Amino acid sequence: HGVNLRAQPPELAEAADPTAAFRSYFEDLRRGATRNTDLKLVLVGNGRVGKTTLKHCLVHGVPPPEPIRERTHGIDATTLGWPAGGEEFRVTIWDLAGQEIYHTMHRFLLHPRVVFLLLWAEETEETDPRELHPVSYWLDLIGQLGSGSVTILVKTQIDRGQKHGTRPPELVGVEDPVVAEAAVSAAQGRGIGALRETISEEIVRFRDRWGYLLPTSWLAVRAEVERLRDSGHRELPFAQFEQLCTVHDARHPRILADYLGQSGFLFYRPGHFGDRLILDQDWLLERIYAVFDPRSQIRQRILRAGGSLFADDTASVWPDHDPHERQVFLGFLTGAELAFHVEGSDPAEYVVPALLPEAPPPFRPGTGSDDLWLEVRFGTLHRALIERLIVRLSGMSPHRRWWRDGIDIEAPDRSWQASVEAWWERNALRVHIHPLRASPGGATTQRQVAASLLRLIRSTLPGAEPVIAGSLDGVVYIDLEKLEQARVAGNPRCVDRSGQVCDVAHFAALPTRAELERAGGENLIPEERPMTAEPQKLRIFVSYAHEDKELKKVLMKRLEGIARSHPIESWDDSKILAGTLVHEEILKGLNAADITLLLISPDFVTSDYCWTQEMEIALQQYEREGKLPVPIIVRRTPEWHEAKIGQHLALPKDGRWLTAWPSPDDFWGEVEEGLRDLIRDLMEKRGIPPKRY
């Protein structure tokens, strides 16, 4: 097409099918294009380094009238126009909380081709040594989570004195990805103008990284989605998003939704959030951050429960939200690998690794002569890595042996056990593999387990190249590459990790790194745990006239029977608690429903509320989102089918009312059979698995 591939949206390469994504992009590009001018400016650094004060200066042009003492908990984002190089960019400035408890979540806000302002100061008011990370820690985090980005190093709080220049001593003479440096006192407004000029220069200098072409149709859909968000819409069903794409001639809605999600414009992951797009990221993140906020009661509650959150408790955790919204929050926690659902738990249990107990379990894998230890060392070990590994390995820990810094696992056939835990003082993961029974292929199995775990670690933190050392006793470790070099050179001696000279022959049973990477056979560790929340359910709303209350009770009994074999959740106005607003609760139930059952009778037709409100909402939902309104003819109701609802298939299928059947059981049996068919069909379309007994 004569277009530079490197100047295209990088998110397309992250799509499930990159080839289809690029093909769709170029097809839509032919019909009109505009250069992207949206950009993220992300402020990162330790707590109390001055990010919030600097953001105020960049947004308002002046320091805040009073010193900002309150910590940022979570995120704070502001969008504004930013002139640079004769163009007007739309820049969203993100202030990310510096406390380590939030770092795991930040990876969902860090995307390729972002401008980072990495703040550091010689002195701050932070007193907790655990929160005083070196600048190299943040550079490593940016490199892992924001590849392709631009980093500007900003020294802050220069009014407190300056012993060093704009670079901290640890970076002097060290090669790093920093493209520019600045020094400011945001509290006094010093250096802000120069910093703005530096930011503008870098935006222009690296323009090709974000100034790619976007199809006009994509921009039109994005503008419409933004309008919906600004008017108060928090979510958008994918069916409605498809309609927007049709209106604006964007031919591949899944590709466009994937791009908008990957670029950070909204949250979208196929199969999550009930196949909806989350438009209001702040709304969702505020509820999620509340789980981790040290000040919140939610966090304290989960800590007291040993890191567990139960589905039955979510109504009190998020009291101002309906069941659908609470399911969205749980779906984000699991889909983002901030929590995992314990398979088979009833009530459903979710474990949050960041809030697990600090102490390891009392019973750990044993040791033996055939054991193998690995030290997987990084430049900086981030807590996010161990937490994600706990999530991904949780399905292999049947005895729930997980804690804040690690997890013990075992083979399904109990042929081996292993542990993976953080070794903070060495910036490493410590892996221990312990065979439980001898086998002719014992060494091969050890290497397969080790190779599988290393593949999992790499897939969890792509792009990282750790140094790997091995040990036969868990005490003396030797770098596997150095061991291989000594073997190839025929050297009888080598230096271990502690600097001591040792015999190469002592490590004869250790595999080399190359041997681990070449290890074939079955992958014994799943590289990604299925990121599912509580098993997805279809929600059914029952609309009826109160004169038909007894008939409604019979229907609810039938639905209870269906629920034993199908993942459904039924709702009617009897679920409304005393003291709540009836109309609002009914609207919540209707809006959350996938299927609305309408008990048609003369009283239903003459009820203004049933006929003109509940039924009308059900019909509108069908037109907008494809949700199913299902009329059930419980009493003879002449000419009901001439209304708009008459265009929909009724139950029983021949439209005969209850007393026209030989017996009530015949009538309700036919209704139940029809409902089961509808539910199975909808489950198949939504990809919802059958309920397990």
Side-chain angles (χ1 to χ4, degrees):
H1 298 279
V3 180
N4 180 6
L5 280 173
R6 291 190 304 171
Q8 308 318 307
E11 296 79 12
L12 298 179
E14 303 298 324
D17 186 346
T19 302
F22 277 106
R23 185 182 297 117
S24 163
Y25 167 76
F26 286 121
E27 284 178 6
D28 286 345
L29 206 62
R30 288 198 197 99
R31 290 175 285 119
T34 302
R35 196 165 295 280
N36 178 60
T37 56
D38 278 21
L39 184 64
K40 273 188 177 179
L41 183 66
V42 180
L43 280 62
V44 296
N46 291 339
R48 300 192 183 280
V49 77
K51 297 185 294 295
T52 304
T53 304
L54 178 57
K55 177 176 177 287
H56 187 282
C57 290
L58 293 174
V59 172
H60 301 286
V62 295
E66 299 290 336
I68 298 175
R69 303 292 184 191
E70 182 71 16
R71 285 178 178 267
T72 299
H73 289 273
I75 61 167
D76 181 43
T78 303
T79 300
L80 70 159
W82 191 290
E87 290 187 73
E88 182 80 6
F89 289 83
R90 191 174 72 158
V91 174
T92 301
I93 304 178
W94 295 71
D95 170 15
L96 305 187
Q99 302 95 296
E100 189 171 35
I101 190 68
Y102 297 115
H103 296 180
T104 302
M105 290 197 60
H106 289 350
R107 65 189 179 87
F108 304 103
L109 308 172
L110 308 184
H111 299 273
R113 310 192 192 191
V114 167
V115 176
F116 286 99
L117 299 188
L118 171 52
L119 278 60
W120 75 281
E122 293 183 14
E123 297 179 21
T124 71
E125 295 178 358
E126 182 59 73
T127 57
D128 187 347
R130 295 172 299 180
E131 300 290 352
L132 295 173
H133 300 292
V135 173
S136 57
Y137 169 94
W138 291 101
L139 286 173
D140 193 58
L141 185 66
I142 290 170
Q144 292 174 11
L145 305 180
S147 59
S149 57
V150 170
T151 303
I152 300 173
L153 187 64
V154 182
K155 182 179 182 180
T156 64
Q157 304 186 25
I158 58 174
D159 51 296
R160 289 174 173 256
Q162 294 197 67
K163 299 176 184 176
H164 309 288
T166 54
R167 297 174 73 82
E170 64 177 297
L171 295 187
V172 174
V174 176
E175 185 176 345
D176 58 58
V178 172
V179 300
E181 300 168 19
V184 302
S185 168
Q188 297 179 352
R190 290 166 55 191
I192 302 301
L195 175 60
R196 287 187 67 96
E197 288 181 12
T198 298
I199 294 170
S200 298
E201 289 169 2
E202 301 310 319
I203 288 175
V204 173
R205 181 154 73 105
F206 292 97
R207 195 188 192 297
D208 285 348
R209 296 196 182 184
W210 36 75
Y212 42 76
L213 292 174
L214 284 177
T216 305
S217 58
W218 289 24
L219 291 169
V221 173
R222 188 174 72 176
E224 186 65 21
V225 169
E226 189 169 25
R227 185 191 65 77
L228 289 171
R229 180 175 61 199
D230 292 344
S231 64
H233 287 72
R234 292 168 174 167
E235 312 166 50
L236 185 68
F238 189 80
Q240 194 171 345
F241 179 76
E242 285 182 306
Q243 292 176 3
L244 290 179
C245 291
T246 300
V247 169
H248 295 286
D249 201 23
R251 301 182 183 182
H252 304 276
R254 289 281 177 193
I255 299 297
L256 178 51
D258 201 35
Y259 162 73
L260 294 174
Q262 290 284 349
S263 65
F265 180 74
L266 46 74
F267 287 135
Y268 173 71
R269 285 189 69 181
H272 292 274
F273 315 132
D275 209 22
R276 292 167 178 256
L277 294 82
I278 305 299
L279 310 186
D280 190 343
Q281 293 171 298
D282 289 350
W283 166 76
L284 176 60
L285 288 174
E286 282 177 13
R287 276 72 188 169
I288 300 302
Y289 275 122
V291 173
F292 301 93
D293 188 343
R295 306 166 300 175
S296 76
Q297 293 298 314
I298 300 173
R299 183 175 186 267
Q300 298 306 318
R301 182 174 188 162
I302 296 173
L303 284 170
R304 287 194 298 270
S308 293
L309 171 64
F310 293 90
D312 285 358
D313 296 331
T314 57
S316 55
V317 171
W318 295 296
D320 299 327
H321 299 277
D322 61 36
H324 164 71
E325 290 175 335
R326 295 196 291 269
Q327 190 65 31
V328 167
F329 304 153
L330 291 172
F332 184 87
L333 283 170
T334 54
E337 296 183 295
L338 299 169
F340 60 88
H341 173 236
V342 179
E343 295 295 335
S345 55
D346 186 18
E349 178 186 3
Y350 301 84
V351 174
V352 183
L355 303 180
L356 283 169
E358 293 184 1
F363 301 103
R364 303 294 311 284
T367 57
S369 58
D370 294 328
D371 287 14
L372 173 65
W373 283 264
L374 296 176
E375 176 195 283
V376 186
R377 183 160 46 92
F378 300 85
T380 302
L381 179 63
H382 294 279
R383 178 160 289 282
L385 174 59
I386 189 64
E387 290 173 7
R388 294 176 70 191
L389 287 172
I390 291 171
V391 169
R392 294 187 177 197
L393 291 169
S394 59
M396 297 188 70
S397 187
H399 304 295
R400 301 172 60 97
R401 290 177 181 159
W402 45 64
W403 67 104
R404 194 171 302 179
D405 289 339
I407 185 169
D408 294 337
I409 62 174
E410 67 178 46
D413 63 359
R414 300 202 75 248
S415 59
W416 54 264
Q417 292 177 332
S419 64
V420 180
E421 58 187 308
W423 200 350
W424 296 112
E425 57 268 28
R426 293 202 185 184
N427 275 323
L429 295 172
R430 178 163 45 200
V431 177
H432 173 208
I433 301 164
H434 172 58
L436 289 174
R437 58 174 181 261
S439 65
T444 302
T445 300
Q446 283 181 29
R447 295 183 182 193
Q448 271 189 269
V449 175
S452 297
L453 283 168
L454 288 175
R455 280 195 290 269
L456 174 67
I457 291 167
R458 287 198 181 94
S459 70
T460 306
L461 196 61
E465 283 300 328
V467 175
I468 302 173
S471 174
L472 298 173
D473 59 7
V475 178
V476 180
Y477 285 83
I478 188 167
D479 187 310
L480 295 186
E481 286 191 359
K482 291 181 179 178
L483 177 63
E484 183 174 16
Q485 291 168 4
R487 287 173 176 171
V488 171
N491 293 333
R493 301 280 190 274
C494 193
V495 178
D496 65 25
R497 284 296 314 280
S498 65
Q500 300 296 314
V501 176
C502 57
D503 292 331
V504 170
H506 174 74
F507 297 98
L510 274 184
T512 65
R513 179 165 180 163
E515 287 171 341
L516 285 178
E517 291 174 347
R518 290 196 303 265
E522 179 187 359
N523 188 11
L524 302 178
I525 310 290
E527 291 196 16
E528 186 167 353
R529 187 182 195 274
M531 297 303 160
T532 57
E534 181 182 0
Q536 194 175 349
K537 294 180 180 179
L538 293 176
R539 292 176 176 81
I540 297 176
F541 180 92
V542 178
S543 173
Y544 68 102
H546 277 248
E547 291 82 356
D548 300 320
K549 186 175 182 178
E550 295 305 314
L551 296 174
K552 185 267 300 184
K553 288 182 179 179
V554 178
L555 174 62
M556 296 303 288
K557 285 288 185 184
R558 293 282 176 165
L559 290 172
E560 287 176 15
I562 295 174
R564 292 193 179 277
S565 55
H566 295 73
I568 65 169
E569 185 176 80
S570 304
W571 195 95
D572 68 279
D573 59 7
S574 67
K575 304 283 179 71
I576 299 175
L577 300 175
T580 55
L581 298 174
V582 174
H583 179 63
E584 289 188 8
E585 290 300 309
I586 289 175
L587 286 180
K588 283 183 180 180
L590 262 171
N591 288 328
D594 301 291
I595 300 172
T596 298
L597 304 181
L598 307 158
L599 272 59
I600 302 296
S601 71
D603 290 304
F604 185 93
V605 173
T606 57
S607 166
D608 286 339
Y609 197 86
C610 292
W611 190 259
T612 63
Q613 293 200 49
E614 292 183 351
M615 189 177 76
E616 280 302 312
I617 291 172
L619 291 170
Q620 290 168 13
Q621 288 180 330
Y622 170 75
E623 292 172 357
R624 289 198 314 263
E625 306 174 32
K627 294 183 175 184
L628 294 177
V630 180
I632 299 176
I633 318 304
V634 292
R635 290 159 55 199
R636 184 181 182 187
T637 311
E639 299 184 356
W640 73 270
H641 54 277
E642 294 184 6
K644 198 172 182 180
I645 189 65
Q647 300 172 16
H648 295 269
L649 181 66
L651 292 176
K653 292 179 181 178
D654 60 4
R656 282 190 294 159
W657 55 95
L658 173 59
T659 57
W661 285 75
S663 73
D665 280 348
D666 289 329
F667 172 83
W668 289 113
E670 188 73 14
V671 169
E672 180 177 335
E673 188 175 318
L675 286 174
R676 286 179 182 271
D677 289 342
L678 283 172
I679 289 166
R680 280 193 290 266
D681 183 60
L682 194 54
M683 285 171 57
E684 185 176 344
K685 289 179 179 177
R686 298 273 185 90
I688 301 174
K691 188 172 182 179
R692 293 186 299 177
Y693 291 92

